[in-house]
Amino acid sequence: MATGRTHRPATRSRGIPEATVARLPLYLRALTALSERSVPTVSSEELAAAAGVNSAKLRKDFSYLGSYGTRGVGYDVEYLVYQISRELGLTQDWPVVIVGIGNLGAALANYGGFASRGFRVAALIDADPAMAGKPVAGIPVQHTDDLEKIIKNNGVSIGVIATPAGAAQQVCDRLVAAGVTSILNFAPTVLSVPDGVDVRKVDLSIELQILAFHEQRKAGEETAVGDGALPAATGRGVAAGDSADQGPDGDVPAVMPA
Amino acid sequence: MATGRTHRPATRSRGIPEATVARLPLYLRALTALSERSVPTVSSEELAAAAGVNSAKLRKDFSYLGSYGTRGVGYDVEYLVYQISRELGLTQDWPVVIVGIGNLGAALANYGGFASRGFRVAALIDADPAMAGKPVAGIPVQHTDDLEKIIKNNGVSIGVIATPAGAAQQVCDRLVAAGVTSILNFAPTVLSVPDGVDVRKVDLSIELQILAFHEQRKAGEETAVGDGALPAATGRGVAAGDSADQGPDGDVPAVMPA
DNA sequence: AACTGTGAAGATCTTCACAGCA
DNA sequence: TGCTGTGAAGATCTTCACAGTT
């Protein structure tokens, strides 16, 4: 396939960079914590540290939303919480369905942070007739046969797929046909969806493989750098934003048997 | 990432771009599927479609690993599987510990794909004394008190944190002090770690918030685009945010429940 | 004096388009 | 002919550094 669609209208005015959008939830979380401690204002430096990002990046991110800060002072916590929430669309209610109530699906259903911010588990759906009616996290599981009806009756536009890989695409197709336009996929599969439907995936094994890659490099460098031992104690640190490896220089030996 | 330090040596010779590393697991999965079907070779076009990426991107990605293809023919599936596995460090065994055996931790422990590729759940750790000894996914849960001993005895370098947010940093510190240098964090917290330790996070609520952002845009454009009615059923329709369908490639990691 | 907002430089990543090999 | 490998152009994202505001 690969129909080279890619039609980007043009640089849209309200266009907030995708990278910025991905960080807004992080800022929101940090701000919420400050709000709970009744902190009135924060500087970009402080908030950036709490969110684990660079302060210049944070300021630029906020500049896409508008000028919500006060020079010489910082940002008003409550005001920012509201602005970011609004920008992310969290001031409205988002009914969500979880399809596939196995170990993972059940864990997701039980996940508290779910409801906390605008999201509400509207229904749990599973293909196993034996599960039908059983309550998970206080919500009765419904059978896949009623998927379309459930989506429509609840006005669901966001679906979470936690089924085995083999069933994911089929479930995805039905969700989309029923009106879902955003999907969070936990199944280890690449989903095909029509234009206009967003898919984000969460994949444990991919994350582990990326870590293994860096881990392997570290092991190789150990000797290269000639570092002694010292398993690193509690040093300070920083965070974790993306796993850019704090690259010790030198470079990889690369074992290579071609 | 690093506080101010950010010392990136220079463009490292064997330096594979982070974005490429993040896609290797995707290619590997697609290749493994082809391998199981005994397909001998694939073209960049076919493999790219299976992995949900652009073929030029895939070719460039592979070019960082070396020249493993044959012009006019394509890539040898088995050979590529081996090369990518080796590059990712999957030809060796990675003992992993999961800390926090609640709903999510148990789901992760039961997750099959775990062991499939080089990873092995070496131990399950939880702070609840009542859980000690109980088997989850066939592995007896051990108490947090023995964390250091467990890490050392098993030579663990990768740890998975699935504890409540409040315990995450503390667990992280102990893991790092005991020798863990790669962490996969499912708790909704920004972890501080010393240089040299990689952290990747998986955060459900962040992913949902990103989807909500785009969902909100779509709702807004519906009228803006002047489109009549049609609550967006199957039709195409300009995707507001273009978080490009398919695999949200190399962007930010993601989700995380607790 | 303290801190935001942002132009400009840099770094990365993506995509094009085509030379070059099988 | 068919398809890879890659220079070069473009698009995005990050970081610097400082003008501007309170």
Side-chain angles (χ1 to χ4, degrees):
Chain A
M1 42 190 72
T3 313
R5 196 46 66 350
T6 316
H7 57 87
R8 259 231 154 212
T11 308
R12 58 189 56 234
S13 45
R14 285 302 315 276
I16 297 178
E18 191 57 32
T20 293
V21 172
R23 281 188 294 269
L24 292 181
L26 229 50
Y27 301 145
L28 184 56
R29 181 175 294 157
L31 285 164
T32 301
L34 290 172
S35 172
E36 279 165 6
R37 288 197 289 129
S38 300
V39 176
T41 62
V42 253
S43 65
S44 61
E45 203 71 53
E46 298 167 321
L47 185 53
V53 305
N54 169 305
S55 70
K57 190 190 290 184
L58 177 145
R59 288 199 300 279
K60 178 134 291 198
D61 282 342
F62 287 174
S63 78
Y64 292 117
L65 308 184
S67 290
Y68 296 149
T70 305
R71 292 168 200 245
V73 180
Y75 300 90
D76 181 278
V77 174
E78 296 301 333
Y79 188 55
L80 249 193
V81 164
Y82 170 70
Q83 291 300 342
I84 294 180
S85 294
R86 190 174 51 73
E87 198 64 58
L88 286 173
L90 305 181
T91 49
Q92 63 185 280
D93 180 69
W94 294 105
V96 172
V97 295
I98 299 177
V99 185
I101 314 303
N103 279 304
L104 179 61
L108 295 177
N110 277 294
Y111 174 48
F114 225 131
S116 72
R117 291 219 161 278
F119 303 98
R120 175 171 52 83
V121 180
L124 301 182
I125 302 175
D126 197 280
D128 181 0
M131 300 251 351
K134 278 190 182 176
V136 170
I139 303 169
V141 175
Q142 294 178 268
H143 192 267
T144 317
D145 285 348
D146 302 321
L147 189 148
E148 288 74 13
K149 190 173 65 186
I150 297 168
I151 298 294
K152 281 163 184 160
N153 289 348
N154 292 280
V156 173
S157 55
I158 299 178
V160 176
I161 297 178
T163 66
Q169 183 64 59
Q170 192 178 3
V171 166
C172 173
D173 291 343
R174 289 182 62 184
L175 287 174
V176 172
V180 166
T181 45
S182 286
I183 291 175
L184 181 50
N185 180 32
F186 283 86
T189 318
V190 173
L191 296 177
S192 287
V193 294
D195 270 17
V197 175
D198 282 317
V199 175
R200 293 193 66 87
K201 70 173 183 308
V202 174
D203 193 314
L204 169 67
S205 74
I206 285 182
E207 297 301 323
L208 282 177
Q209 287 174 40
I210 295 171
L211 285 177
F213 171 85
H214 294 299
E215 199 57 43
Q216 184 182 39
R217 294 258 150 150
K218 288 177 201 163
E221 305 223 337
E222 222 164 74
T223 55
V225 175
D227 171 53
L230 295 233
T234 331
R236 33 174 292 68
V238 176
D242 45 338
S243 62
D245 75 326
Q246 340 272 20
D249 28 345
D251 193 22
V252 187
V255 191
M256 44 144 47
Chain B
M1 26 209 96
T3 319
R5 205 57 35 252
T6 312
H7 61 94
R8 262 233 151 210
T11 309
R12 59 189 56 228
S13 46
R14 281 304 311 283
I16 298 178
E18 190 57 32
T20 293
V21 171
R23 280 187 295 268
L24 292 181
L26 229 49
Y27 301 144
L28 183 57
R29 180 175 293 157
L31 285 165
T32 300
L34 291 172
S35 171
E36 279 164 6
R37 288 198 288 129
S38 300
V39 175
T41 62
V42 254
S43 66
S44 61
E45 203 71 53
E46 298 167 322
L47 185 53
V53 305
N54 169 305
S55 69
K57 191 190 288 183
L58 176 145
R59 287 198 301 279
K60 178 135 288 197
D61 282 342
F62 286 175
S63 78
Y64 292 117
L65 307 185
S67 291
Y68 296 150
T70 303
R71 293 169 200 242
V73 180
Y75 301 90
D76 180 278
V77 175
E78 296 301 333
Y79 188 54
L80 249 193
V81 164
Y82 170 70
Q83 290 301 342
I84 295 180
S85 294
R86 189 174 53 75
E87 198 64 59
L88 286 172
L90 304 181
T91 49
Q92 63 186 278
D93 181 69
W94 294 105
V96 172
V97 295
I98 300 176
V99 185
I101 314 301
N103 280 304
L104 179 62
L108 295 178
N110 277 294
Y111 175 50
F114 225 132
S116 72
R117 291 219 160 277
F119 303 99
R120 176 171 52 84
V121 180
L124 301 181
I125 302 176
D126 197 279
D128 181 0
M131 300 249 355
K134 278 190 183 176
V136 170
I139 303 169
V141 175
Q142 294 179 267
H143 192 267
T144 317
D145 286 348
D146 302 321
L147 190 147
E148 287 74 12
K149 191 173 62 186
I150 297 168
I151 298 294
K152 282 163 185 162
N153 289 349
N154 292 280
V156 173
S157 56
I158 299 179
V160 176
I161 297 178
T163 67
Q169 182 63 59
Q170 191 179 2
V171 165
C172 173
D173 291 343
R174 289 182 64 185
L175 287 174
V176 172
V180 166
T181 46
S182 285
I183 292 175
L184 181 51
N185 180 31
F186 284 84
T189 319
V190 173
L191 295 177
S192 286
V193 294
D195 269 18
V197 175
D198 280 318
V199 176
R200 294 193 65 87
K201 69 175 183 309
V202 175
D203 193 316
L204 170 68
S205 75
I206 285 181
E207 296 302 323
L208 283 176
Q209 287 173 42
I210 294 171
L211 285 177
F213 172 85
H214 293 300
E215 200 55 44
Q216 185 182 38
R217 293 259 150 147
K218 289 176 201 165
E221 301 223 338
E222 225 163 72
T223 55
V225 175
D227 172 52
L230 298 227
T234 329
R236 24 176 296 88
V238 187
D242 67 312
S243 70
D245 22 309
Q246 299 307 9
D249 10 2
D251 63 304
V252 188
V255 189
M256 82 20 61

